[in-house]
Amino acid sequence: MGAIDYPVRRPPLRGNVNLFEQILLAVLAGFFIFGLTLAGAFLATRLWYAGRVLPGVSIAGVDVGGLSPHAAAARLVERIDYPHSGKIILRDGERVWVATPGELGLSLDPDASAQAAFRVGRSGPLPGRIKAQVEAMTSGIQLPPVLVLDQRVAYRFLSNIAREIDKPAIDATLSLNGTQVVVTPGQTGRSLDISASLVLITLQLQSLRDGILDLYIHEAAPVILDASAEADLARRILSEPLVLSLPGAEANSAGPWTIQPEQLAQMLTVQRVDTPQGPSYQVGLRQDLMIAYLADLAPKLQRYPQNARFIFNDDTHQLEVIQPSITGRQLDVEKSLRLIQEKIRQGEHAIPLEVMYTDPPVTDKMTGEQLGITELVQATTTYFRGSSSERKQNIRAAAARFHGLLVAPGETFSMAQALGDITLDNGFAEALIIIGGQTIKGVGGGVCQVSTTLFRNVFFAGFPVVERYAHAYRVGYYEQTANGHSDRLAGLDATVFVPLVDFKFTNDTPYWLLMETYVSDTSITWKFYSTKDGRTVEWNTTGPVNRVPPPEPVYRENPDLAKGEIRQVDWAAEGADVTVERTVYKNGAVYFKDTFFTHYEAWANVYEYGPGTELPPPDERR
């Protein structure tokens, strides 16, 4: 008989459900283990290196990790010998003077240097301390030494050199008596400019490097038979004010700047020059004083380039300029100095300054096609029904800072930097803010409605979040929906407190990103315009878990309130933990994943009352 083939019965497939659950549990376990490991490492490091500098910390190349501050200071004294072994060569032509930095007044403060190293990873907020510890143990942290410079020592050293250099002038000279030019006979003289040379030495010592420095020497011209021509030029220079201005006719531009003859006389100098006809005098303005004058003007003329601001016309799909671009401007001190010296010798007294201009990356003429801004990428709306008029004012003022703003491809955008100073002068009002573990009245309350909206738009658009901080407790505004309230929005808030707390994200696309903000009486909408790159977002949330009821109400006396007056200044909120997970796909494949964990403190009702006020019994307090 032949063999009989029996059909093989296999168990039914359960699909990939259990596999996905196992992977998810493994990922969550990994995050949990990583957190425990990080916390343990931080605690172990603090315990192991108690009283000692963290490993990886160096001062001027000297490793002081693992040492006590006292031992670190001793090692620095042993290793950093620049004040004693360095060489500063001061030169006047072929004559030189050699000094150590110590002989010029430089000394190391080893104790202060060691204390600076000891504070690494031990000062500031906890995230910063952890970051510093990780950085020290991985890539290392280099600190500069604390040095003390006694300029009086260098001044005495230069004074001794001056005795060798200085000699009286006996050549014919031109001199000034106020604004009067006087031709007097004399002799060639040389003098060391101790103040200018001291500045040069100070800068070199601060670099911690050896150097050869040419001393600043003032020379008087030798005997010259006829100085009348230059004397006449000096008189013409002092005959009227010198007027400096910006080139062209810029609207609302600074200037002009007028230097009166009395001040010009103090700037005027007479230098000896060699000509084919023999030695001569040349009248001009002192270079050091003019550089100082122009250097004082430079910040007033500084203007940083700014991109144009646009809105995207949803009908035409074209960009419309709402704020023109600004061309950057910077004073060219060197060219301006040369031009002034040249023109003033030609008898001119109205001289335009030399200015360098820089176009911003995005000008008014650029189109959406050039920038890759072709469509709406994401729009998110949050709600703030019940807000005070002051809070609404702050929301509008903050949102306006971002309307039409551009984020470059690859740029990490800082909300705090774009927001700038939050002051009454900048259009903000006083409203309730969360700071120092309590809700108080301060300038800018409500700005976090704007940061929360930006965070959610970034979240749902699928951009990487670089820095985000949640609020201390749950705020009802941030869980409002169009028609009510949703616990699913818990854990999707972000706070910004300039300049300490920031929200940052990265535009990781090859296209520019245009932001638009629109504020109504009860909502704010944030829009991103760019070009979609095939990314989609899936997310889930635990919702509020580990709920903790609000503590008992708190009553505290406020001497500014009247007797019998009771005012609520803080509102109860339930404590909870929320974990939000996000998966970003690009063209169907996983691009990246991230998790946002938020711990909300339980918050109590807080009341203030005037002195002598009779409080309700404990069982009647809300």
Side-chain angles (χ1 to χ4, degrees):
M1 296 178 63
I4 300 176
D5 293 330
Y6 291 96
V8 178
R9 302 188 63 183
R10 295 180 173 86
L13 295 176
R14 296 179 59 192
N16 295 324
V17 176
N18 288 340
L19 177 59
F20 177 78
E21 292 177 349
Q22 294 172 5
I23 293 174
L24 180 59
L25 289 174
V27 170
L28 292 176
F31 276 117
F32 180 74
I33 293 173
F34 174 78
L36 289 178
T37 303
L38 183 63
F42 174 70
L43 181 59
T45 300
R46 291 296 303 271
L47 294 175
W48 182 256
Y49 288 97
R52 294 182 293 161
V53 178
L54 295 179
V57 178
S58 300
I59 298 178
V62 178
D63 184 6
V64 295
L67 300 179
S68 67
H70 179 75
R75 178 172 290 184
L76 293 175
V77 171
E78 177 185 348
R79 300 284 181 84
I80 299 179
D81 59 350
Y82 174 74
H84 309 293
S85 64
K87 289 186 178 180
I88 303 298
I89 299 176
L90 305 176
R91 184 169 62 186
D92 173 27
E94 296 182 355
R95 291 192 295 175
V96 297
W97 294 265
V98 181
T100 65
E103 291 173 328
L104 294 174
L106 187 71
S107 62
L108 170 70
D109 189 334
D111 293 327
S113 301
Q115 287 299 324
F118 182 74
R119 287 193 297 271
V120 172
R122 293 183 167 91
S123 61
L126 180 60
R129 299 201 303 270
I130 295 176
K131 179 182 177 184
Q133 290 190 12
V134 172
E135 182 179 350
M137 291 186 289
T138 55
S139 59
I141 293 178
Q142 284 282 352
L143 299 177
V146 178
L147 300 171
V148 178
L149 177 61
D150 188 348
Q151 289 190 338
R152 295 172 299 179
V153 177
Y155 187 90
R156 288 194 295 269
F157 193 93
L158 289 173
S159 297
N160 291 330
I161 294 177
R163 295 189 183 98
E164 302 179 41
I165 294 177
D166 293 356
K167 61 180 180 180
I170 59 174
D171 297 333
T173 60
L174 294 177
S175 62
L176 297 173
N177 182 11
T179 58
Q180 299 299 313
V181 180
V182 180
V183 181
T184 58
Q187 63 180 356
T188 302
R190 303 181 78 251
S191 62
L192 172 63
D193 188 332
I194 294 180
S195 297
S197 299
L198 183 60
V199 171
L200 193 65
I201 291 173
T202 300
L203 292 175
Q204 183 65 38
L205 292 177
Q206 290 174 346
S207 71
L208 301 182
R209 295 195 299 268
D210 296 346
I212 300 176
L213 307 178
D214 290 317
L215 294 169
Y216 283 99
I217 306 295
H218 294 301
E219 289 190 356
V223 175
I224 298 174
L225 296 177
D226 185 9
S228 59
E230 290 298 307
D232 289 341
L233 175 59
R235 294 185 183 99
R236 288 198 301 272
I237 292 174
L238 298 177
S239 65
E240 57 182 288
L242 173 63
V243 180
L244 305 177
S245 62
L246 285 174
E250 296 187 25
N252 301 320
S253 61
W257 298 271
T258 301
I259 304 176
Q260 297 296 337
E262 292 77 13
Q263 187 178 359
L264 272 178
Q266 298 175 6
M267 293 181 169
L268 205 62
T269 182
V270 180
Q271 295 180 327
R272 176 186 182 277
V273 295
D274 292 324
T275 69
Q277 293 75 32
S280 178
Y281 284 114
Q282 180 171 297
V283 173
L285 297 176
R286 279 184 56 179
Q287 182 166 307
D288 57 339
L289 295 181
M290 279 307 302
I291 289 177
Y293 184 88
L294 294 174
D296 183 61
L297 284 185
K300 303 171 186 176
L301 299 179
Q302 180 81 39
R303 186 175 66 194
Y304 294 99
Q306 293 182 25
N307 291 330
R309 290 201 180 196
F310 303 93
I311 59 171
F312 187 87
N313 189 313
D314 293 308
D315 296 326
T316 65
H317 284 216
Q318 299 298 317
L319 296 180
E320 297 179 358
V321 177
I322 59 174
Q323 181 175 304
S325 61
I326 296 178
T327 301
R329 183 181 65 199
Q330 183 175 4
L331 177 65
D332 191 325
V333 174
E334 184 178 347
K335 288 186 178 180
S336 295
L337 177 63
R338 288 201 301 265
L339 182 64
I340 292 170
Q341 296 282 30
E342 175 187 341
K343 295 295 184 181
I344 202 168
R345 284 191 58 81
Q346 296 173 1
E348 297 186 24
H349 287 80
I351 303 174
L353 297 168
E354 289 285 346
V355 177
M356 297 179 289
Y357 294 98
T358 306
D359 286 330
V362 181
T363 64
D364 307 357
K365 304 300 183 183
M366 291 188 174
T367 65
E369 289 76 12
Q370 291 175 304
L371 300 174
I373 301 174
T374 60
E375 59 188 328
L376 178 66
V377 172
Q378 180 66 38
T380 301
T381 300
T382 66
Y383 301 88
F384 48 86
R385 294 183 299 274
S387 293
S388 65
S389 60
E390 293 82 6
R391 189 172 190 271
K392 293 177 182 179
Q393 175 181 335
N394 292 332
I395 292 171
R396 291 189 179 92
R401 301 291 180 93
F402 304 93
H403 188 57
L405 203 61
L406 293 165
V407 183
E411 177 186 351
T412 294
F413 179 79
S414 165
M415 184 175 183
Q417 182 177 353
L419 188 60
D421 294 334
I422 299 176
T423 64
L424 297 175
D425 292 338
N426 287 339
F428 293 90
E430 286 191 338
L432 295 179
I433 61 174
I434 303 173
I435 184 173
Q438 58 182 325
T439 302
I440 63 174
K441 198 170 186 179
V443 178
V447 169
C448 292
Q449 185 81 40
V450 182
S451 58
T452 293
T453 311
L454 174 58
F455 168 50
R456 290 184 187 172
N457 211 43
V458 168
F459 181 91
F460 293 120
F463 289 111
V465 174
V466 177
E467 184 175 343
R468 171 259 178 181
Y469 299 93
H471 289 79
Y473 64 85
R474 293 174 67 183
V475 179
Y477 296 120
Y478 308 138
E479 298 177 20
Q480 286 186 9
T481 63
N483 300 312
H485 171 277
S486 174
D487 280 353
R488 279 181 59 80
L489 296 178
L492 289 178
D493 60 296
T495 180
V496 169
F497 186 75
V498 179
L500 303 176
V501 178
D502 200 356
F503 172 75
K504 297 178 182 179
F505 76 95
T506 300
N507 174 16
D508 61 339
T509 75
Y511 313 107
W512 284 82
L513 179 67
L514 170 64
M515 300 191 290
E516 295 183 13
T517 57
Y518 298 93
V519 180
S520 72
D521 196 53
T522 58
S523 68
I524 172 175
T525 298
W526 202 300
K527 292 183 177 182
F528 283 166
Y529 288 93
S530 187
T531 295
K532 295 178 180 178
D533 63 353
R535 70 180 68 190
T536 57
V537 174
E538 291 183 359
W539 68 286
N540 59 73
T541 176
T542 61
V545 297
N546 303 325
R547 296 174 182 258
V548 177
E552 291 297 318
V554 175
Y555 285 78
R556 60 192 181 204
E557 184 176 296
N558 183 345
D560 295 332
L561 299 181
K563 179 180 179 180
E565 183 179 1
I566 300 178
R567 181 176 62 187
Q568 186 171 3
V569 296
D570 223 335
W571 285 262
E574 183 182 61
D577 294 331
V578 181
T579 301
V580 178
E581 296 176 338
R582 177 177 66 156
T583 302
V584 179
Y585 298 88
K586 184 181 286 189
N587 298 322
V590 174
Y591 183 42
F592 68 85
K593 297 181 178 182
D594 48 13
T595 300
F596 301 89
F597 173 77
T598 304
H599 173 71
Y600 294 114
E601 296 287 346
W603 219 253
N605 283 321
V606 178
Y607 300 88
E608 292 183 348
Y609 60 90
T613 299
E614 182 177 350
L615 299 179
D619 57 348
E620 295 181 10
R621 296 180 182 179
R622 301 184 298 275

